[in-house]
Amino acid sequence: MFSALLNIVIPVLGVVGLGALYGRLRPGASLGYVSRANIALFTPVLVFSKQVKYPLAQGGRIIPTRCRCSES
């Protein structure tokens, strides 16, 4: 139980520490490209990796939904 917690917390703290270090070394740096890469690249990779690890059961149904992300 404790080792599982450390396996989650240590990488998160490492990423946070790297971000804090980058922010101190380059104040005022534009990080818009990081947000675009996160949405365009890393999110689909996460979805597909989880689909490989936990595939849908045979005969399972996918219920299509409609995303209303931008309402005018």
Side-chain angles (χ1 to χ4, degrees):
M1 172 76 173
F2 187 69
S3 67
L5 181 65
L6 286 180
N7 285 336
I8 295 169
V9 172
I10 298 292
V12 170
L13 290 178
V15 170
V16 169
L18 285 175
L21 180 66
Y22 185 81
R24 288 208 184 257
L25 294 176
R26 296 184 184 248
S30 174
L31 296 176
Y33 65 91
V34 175
S35 295
R36 286 191 303 276
N38 187 24
I39 297 299
L41 180 66
F42 300 128
T43 303
V45 168
L46 176 67
V47 170
F48 288 125
S49 68
K50 292 303 170 188
Q51 280 290 46
V52 168
K53 189 171 182 179
Y54 304 109
L56 291 174
Q58 290 207 341
R61 287 187 345 160
I62 299 176
I63 301 171
T65 59
R66 195 172 71 148
C67 177
R68 299 194 305 173
C69 299
S70 59
E71 294 181 7
S72 302

